[in-house]
Amino acid sequence: MSPSRLCSDHSGFLLDELFSQFFSSSNPYQNTFITCNVIAILCFIISSCSGNFSQVDKLWSIVPAVYAWMCVTDTRTTLMAFLATLWSVRLTYNFYRRGGYNGWPYNIFGGEEDYRWEILRSGSLGGWWTLLKDKYILGVFNLVFISLFQNWLLLYIASPSLVAWSMALKRTHCENDEGLQASSSSLNALDGISTIIFLFALSIESMADNQQYQFQNKKAQRSAMAESKDLVEGFCQSGLFAIVRKPNYAAEQLIWISYYFFSVAASAPATWPQCQGHVSWMNWSMGGFILLCLLFQGSGWLTERISISKYPAYRDYQRRVPLYIPKITTLWHLLFRNGRENGMKVE
């Protein structure tokens, strides 16, 4: 690798140099890429044999943390891996308690399948979706979108760790480079801001999943049916679900947006913002959270369409409550008018 070329790159790309070393065992770009594709092929084989298309779902909460740990080289990348692990443990537990791993490890084909895959397979959505009733087209969809694209996306959302690794490598070789600190372990204020937002979003996601889990348990038990409007109408619309319709989806997107900003922090000086050194606000890894947000637009649309078909009152709920971004008036009401109240119900 050319030191002069390395020290002139402030973006965290370093792709041509890294690709030239792609077959070096010490390169996390190579290691994560190979791991990702092996997992994708295994997911395709298992899902094709079992007919259960939720194989990627079982690994969704695990592999980004694995990729993050494969990039650990300094304090920042260690912090990123630790936060990714917190996210992973919480989301994996939530998937487990919902039956996602039933039968594991003795039956790798086990576990509940996401109900949305069956709806897509059946072609009940109409239009172009009816093409998935053909087993060959369904097989291509399983390979390209479910197995390959989703696994590539999981690597992509974790790719800020790769950028942070690249910048740590740069710091090691360019101690006197303008705008960079000599120490590869220096954190800055942007790391702190990103950590706070990450933990906030993780807390919101945890609260939302707990509320949904408790509601689904009550609904399954048919308990207190006449005592709750949510149970009567069939879907959760209180607590965080009175603020936005998909608080767990919204929090998941915010988690990976905040994770991206660690890669931005990797380009900033340790004394940022007091020291006005070079900061690269955009780098290639931002495509990860952008694609994730786009995926959630499609996933949210599908879930909403299913809910409308099942619950007559859901259209009114859509009218009252936004999907991902809360209304300013709702936040004002909660913070300043009902700040001391435990319930959060928006009419």
Side-chain angles (χ1 to χ4, degrees), residues 26-46:
S26 62
N27 187 339
Y29 281 73
Q30 178 211 41
N31 297 336
T32 55
F33 181 79
I34 293 175
T35 301
C36 173
N37 283 279
V38 169
I39 291 173
I41 296 302
L42 289 175
C43 286
F44 174 69
I45 294 172
I46 294 174

Side-chain angles (χ1 to χ4, degrees), residues 170-181:
K170 176 176 180 178
R171 291 173 187 274
T172 301
H173 290 83
C174 313
E175 293 185 352
N176 297 321
D177 191 42
E178 181 180 357
L180 290 173
Q181 301 300 306

Side-chain angles (χ1 to χ4, degrees), residues 231-243:
L231 288 170
V232 171
E233 296 186 346
F235 57 94
C236 188
Q237 51 188 306
S238 58
L240 291 173
F241 292 85
I243 302 174

